[in-house]
Amino acid sequence: MLDAIGYAALKAKAPLAPFSFERRDPREHDVVIDIKFAGICHSDIHQARDEWGGSQFPMVPGHEIAGIVSKIGSKVTKYKVGDKVGVGCFVDSCRKCTYCNDGLQQFCVEGMTGTYNSVERDGKTPTQGGYSNVIVVDENYVLRMPDNLPLDAAAPLLCAGITLYSPLKHWKAGPGKKVAILGMGGLGHMGVKLAHALGADVTVLSHSHKKEADAKRMGADHFYATADEGTFQKLANTFDLIICTVSQDIDWNQYLTLVKVDGSMVLVGVPEKPVPVGAFSMIMGRRSLAGSLIGGIPETQEMLDFCGKHNIVCDIEKISADKINEAYERVVKSDVRYRFVIDAATFKKAS
Ligand code: NAP
Ligand code: ZN
Ligand code: ZN
């Protein structure tokens, strides 16, 4: 076994603390990755605090992982020692169902193996995530990082990037399409950059004006504070596509009025409680309300290559491991510009 150090939640809602654990020895198709950086996704916080139910502890969160291959199994063909790689939200799946065969492993009928807060395909070994110094992953679930992108700012592409890229592509964001990004946090700011690079007309809907200058710098064509009087009237029936990244309970009916005929509102944010939706919100305007979950391995690689080509990375605040709990509080208060990334060199052995 390989010794690993990192940070873990030992129980729900407890602050994260230094944690020592073991990773499996590499199997034939495994690569050992020396983790350099891990992003903090709001999903880490939801799960570490057991806001979605069913969390398993101790939990080492982290599914925005960037690092360097340090060792490979005897049959690995895709990667070699020294390669810049990434790992996203899952590390395995059944590999035989229709969705796995189509590269949509996130929808595997047997369930994907989450990078953390999940169990391996043996049904019992817990998985542990990227807030650590090393991880062992099958080569088929590892991504290649573009050479021109810095690993720290590229790490969050593995979740925030793909979670926005996938619905933007699926709902055909591009020239002539009006796209609104609702909520400009880690996911939302990537939505702005990606939708802009895809050629769409991009609007940010944020709850205040604080992020307006940043949004324009990232490529937003328009910016509205939803708290301002008149915003909903002014923007009624405007958008082909709204991607909702908000992590809190909001009134989806109100936002659906902003979608134009045959347009869609796509949920990627996962609030703690279910939100009621009125039928009129959808039948008026033949609107669709949909959801989207990260992306499969081929599309994640496509997104990374797209970001490499367009020089797109995340805006990050790099932190040391001892600042993780403080960072969680700031994410919850929407006070992050725009993703915290942990420097894995700062993990220390638990005393
Ligand atoms: P984040 O950085 O905290 O961003 C969420 C944004 O929502 C905030 O920056 C804020 O934007 C807005 N917001 C927060 N509270 C609000 C409120 N009360 N009313 C209106 N807007 C509010 O979180 P994230 O990491 O981007 O993740 C966002 C959500 O997506 C989380 O629920 C996460 O679990 C989920 N997620 C889903 C997937 C998927 O595959 N579907 C993948 C990753 C994450 P403004 O300041 O601009 O208003
Ligand atoms: Zn995530
Ligand atoms: Zn499958």
Side-chain angles (χ1 to χ4, degrees):
M1 300 292 270
L2 304 176
D3 288 333
I5 51 171
Y7 255 60
L10 300 180
K11 58 179 188 181
K13 298 185 171 63
L16 274 65
F19 183 64
S20 298
F21 60 110
E22 289 182 325
R23 302 281 193 187
R24 66 171 183 260
D25 286 318
R27 302 191 284 235
E28 285 176 337
H29 284 284
D30 281 342
V31 300
V32 181
I33 302 166
D34 185 4
I35 298 177
K36 298 293 181 194
F37 300 100
I40 294 181
C41 175
H42 206 120
S43 302
D44 299 345
I45 304 173
H46 288 304
Q47 292 174 87
R49 297 183 174 179
D50 200 14
E51 290 171 353
W52 296 338
S55 286
Q56 303 162 34
F57 300 94
M59 178 197 300
V60 177
H63 57 209
E64 295 184 334
I65 302 168
I68 307 280
V69 174
S70 60
K71 194 174 176 189
I72 56 170
S74 60
K75 294 201 173 146
V76 168
T77 57
K78 296 187 172 147
Y79 298 100
K80 59 180 190 322
V81 171
D83 283 354
K84 283 167 71 175
V85 293
V87 179
C89 297
F90 56 90
V91 288
D92 211 340
S93 62
C94 85
R95 308 179 190 212
K96 53 183 196 289
C97 73
T98 172
Y99 302 112
C100 283
N101 285 335
D102 286 348
L104 295 168
Q105 295 89 347
Q106 74 273 35
F107 304 126
C108 174
V109 294
E110 292 183 15
M112 61 179 167
T113 301
T115 303
Y116 68 88
N117 195 22
S118 182
V119 285
E120 299 279 359
R121 303 315 292 177
D122 64 7
K124 55 177 195 239
T125 310
T127 57
Q128 298 292 12
Y131 298 4
S132 61
N133 63 339
V134 66
I135 191 165
V136 182
V137 182
D138 184 290
E139 61 175 332
N140 294 301
Y141 294 81
V142 172
L143 287 309
R144 185 172 297 281
M145 301 300 268
D147 262 336
N148 58 320
L149 301 185
L151 279 183
D152 50 3
L157 296 175
L158 275 307
C159 175
I162 185 58
T163 300
L164 272 290
Y165 183 82
S166 186
L168 286 169
K169 291 290 285 196
H170 187 81
W171 276 273
K172 302 192 169 38
K177 289 283 173 73
K178 287 188 189 299
V179 174
I181 303 294
L182 172 52
M184 205 175 98
L187 267 56
H189 93 291
M190 288 317 301
V192 175
K193 294 184 184 197
L194 291 165
H196 174 70
L198 288 165
D201 181 79
V202 186
T203 299
V204 169
L205 303 173
S206 189
H207 64 284
S208 73
H209 281 281
K210 285 189 204 146
K211 300 173 180 172
E212 183 160 3
D214 287 345
K216 297 271 172 73
R217 170 176 58 78
M218 291 177 202
D221 301 286
H222 321 276
F223 186 101
Y224 292 91
T226 50
D228 281 356
E229 209 177 312
T231 297
F232 286 89
Q233 289 81 345
K234 206 180 306 167
L235 296 177
N237 304 305
T238 298
F239 300 107
D240 297 287
L241 174 65
I242 299 181
I243 303 189
C244 174
T245 75
V246 176
S247 53
Q248 306 295 318
D249 305 325
I250 54 166
D251 182 355
W252 294 342
N253 298 293
Q254 198 181 19
Y255 287 94
L256 277 164
T257 63
L258 309 187
V259 175
K260 71 181 185 201
V261 174
D262 286 336
S264 304
M265 181 157 104
V266 178
L267 308 177
V268 294
V270 192
E272 194 171 350
K273 297 194 200 90
V275 178
V277 180
F280 274 119
S281 305
M282 287 154 78
I283 60 180
M284 301 302 287
R286 200 160 58 188
R287 300 172 176 121
S288 301
L289 177 63
S292 186
L293 177 67
I294 46 174
I297 293 291
E299 196 175 40
T300 306
Q301 190 61 61
E302 179 188 309
M303 175 276 308
L304 287 169
D305 297 343
F306 179 87
C307 289
K309 187 164 159 223
H310 295 269
N311 240 312
I312 295 175
V313 287
C314 306
D315 282 34
I316 62 165
E317 286 190 51
K318 201 157 30 177
I319 58 163
S320 52
D322 58 342
K323 296 280 188 273
I324 291 173
N325 293 305
E326 208 176 291
Y328 272 29
E329 291 309 320
R330 286 189 50 202
V331 172
V332 170
K333 285 193 230 142
S334 299
D335 177 29
V336 45
R337 300 291 190 273
Y338 281 85
R339 201 56 142 185
F340 287 110
V341 169
I342 308 160
D343 181 349
T346 61
F347 290 118
K348 293 195 187 83
K349 221 174 166 58
S351 48

